[in-house]
Amino acid sequence: MASVSVASGVANGPVPERTRARQRARDWAEIQERMLVPLYEAVYERLEVGPATSVLGLGCRSGLALLLAAGRGAEVVGLEPEAELRSLAQDRSLRVMSDVYRDLAPEGQAGTQPSAHSLVTAFEHLSCTADPLALVRDAARLTLPGGHVALATWGPPERCESAGVLRVARRLADPLRRAPYAPFALSEPGAVERMVARAGLRLGGGGRVLCPFAYPDLESAVRGLLSMGVFDAAADYSGLRQVEKEVVEALHPYRRGDGSVRMLNVFRYTVAERVR
């Protein structure tokens, strides 16, 4: 089995958590984030995002989705709890905050209800948050009446070639201490629709989007995938070296003759409207 030396420094000994976080954030921004551009664009096209749109991105990470909305003329702002990702987004001249009720409240009214937006998105955060219903309810509260919430999840596992790689995150995590990552828990028919109804939103349709995960080489593939954050619990429990080893093994069927790696994945988006 081929090996790979990932730029995490693990081969040279333990890496401080802050350094790992910075490297992971850079890998997300430089490698992984672009894989979801077809998803972002499909949502923006469907909802005709433009100069009349105010977009709030929940869990916006380093902000590429917001940049694309801004390129269409929309007013954009984001929420991102991870400091390293938030810093990268701010380096892109985006307004990205850490706390919705503290940082996005009207000026001088910290702790009160922040301003609402005509479109609230959760592109990456819904599938990995501990309480997805709470996230949808927050999105509903932050949406103007008549505005929309756009929620994204992985598609059916049989339509996602990355499913085998993601199973590494679940298998190597400590099931007694942290809930294993379950990326396809919301892929079941009706799962997102039920949350939409419970949050008081009106279902407005949705769609499926093909998002190939394509990398020039194996090292980039491992770095990109580990930057998603979904392998963190596995790395804490089983060690980063073991996680990298098993990710490499899981990627073997998707390596091409030129050394590149390509996996076809389907993502699903659901659009809901706040009616009052």
Side-chain angles (χ1 to χ4, degrees):
M1 179 64 63
S3 62
V4 60
S5 176
V6 179
S8 61
V10 70
N12 299 317
V15 179
E17 179 56 35
R18 183 69 181 271
T19 301
R20 274 181 56 189
R22 282 197 298 265
Q23 181 62 57
R24 188 176 60 204
R26 286 195 297 270
D27 287 343
W28 170 266
E30 296 171 4
I31 300 172
Q32 192 64 28
E33 190 173 31
R34 62 183 173 83
M35 308 300 176
L36 296 181
V37 167
L39 172 65
Y40 307 150
E41 294 286 21
V43 170
Y44 294 158
E45 188 69 23
R46 181 176 184 125
L47 294 176
E48 299 181 347
V49 168
T53 313
S54 170
V55 178
L56 168 61
L58 299 180
C60 68
R61 299 181 72 80
S62 53
L64 180 56
L66 293 179
L67 280 178
L68 294 174
R72 291 170 171 260
E75 178 184 346
V76 302
V77 64
L79 267 293
E80 175 49 54
E82 290 192 31
E84 303 297 341
L85 288 165
R86 188 169 63 250
S87 177
L88 289 177
Q90 292 166 345
D91 288 345
R92 290 168 159 176
S93 300
L94 293 167
R95 184 184 175 215
V96 175
M97 309 299 176
S98 62
D99 184 282
V100 65
Y101 292 101
R102 183 186 69 219
D103 297 327
L104 292 186
E107 187 174 354
Q109 302 179 42
T112 64
Q113 177 70 27
S115 301
H117 300 263
S118 59
L119 172 60
V120 177
T121 64
F123 284 124
E124 292 97 16
H125 204 44
L126 188 65
S127 293
C128 56
T129 186
D131 191 345
L133 177 58
L135 176 65
V136 177
R137 284 174 168 160
D138 280 344
R141 283 193 291 268
L142 294 164
T143 304
L144 288 166
H148 293 90
V149 173
L151 307 168
T153 63
W154 287 84
E158 64 271 14
R159 298 286 306 279
C160 297
E161 292 183 335
S162 294
V165 182
L166 296 176
R167 280 195 287 271
V168 172
R170 187 177 184 87
R171 186 171 65 251
L172 296 184
D174 181 357
L176 300 180
R177 296 188 61 186
R178 295 177 64 176
Y181 177 55
F184 301 105
L186 297 177
S187 302
E188 300 175 0
V192 175
E193 289 82 355
R194 287 190 292 271
M195 287 195 302
V196 164
R198 292 178 66 185
L201 297 165
R202 182 170 64 191
L203 190 64
R208 293 183 178 184
V209 183
L210 183 65
C211 294
F213 282 15
Y215 311 92
D217 51 50
L218 188 59
E219 178 179 340
S220 295
V222 175
R223 289 172 54 195
L225 290 163
L226 265 59
S227 76
M228 295 168 61
V230 302
F231 295 91
D232 293 354
D236 290 343
Y237 183 63
S238 300
L240 183 58
R241 183 187 295 273
Q242 183 65 26
V243 172
E244 290 176 344
K245 175 180 177 293
E246 296 205 22
V247 167
V248 168
E249 292 173 353
L251 288 171
H252 180 69
Y254 307 104
R255 297 187 68 186
R256 300 191 168 196
D258 61 358
S260 64
V261 177
R262 182 178 176 86
M263 296 175 287
L264 298 180
N265 298 298
V266 170
F267 282 78
R268 179 184 173 218
Y269 69 87
T270 302
V271 173
E273 182 182 1
R274 179 176 175 179
V275 294
R276 65 181 187 278

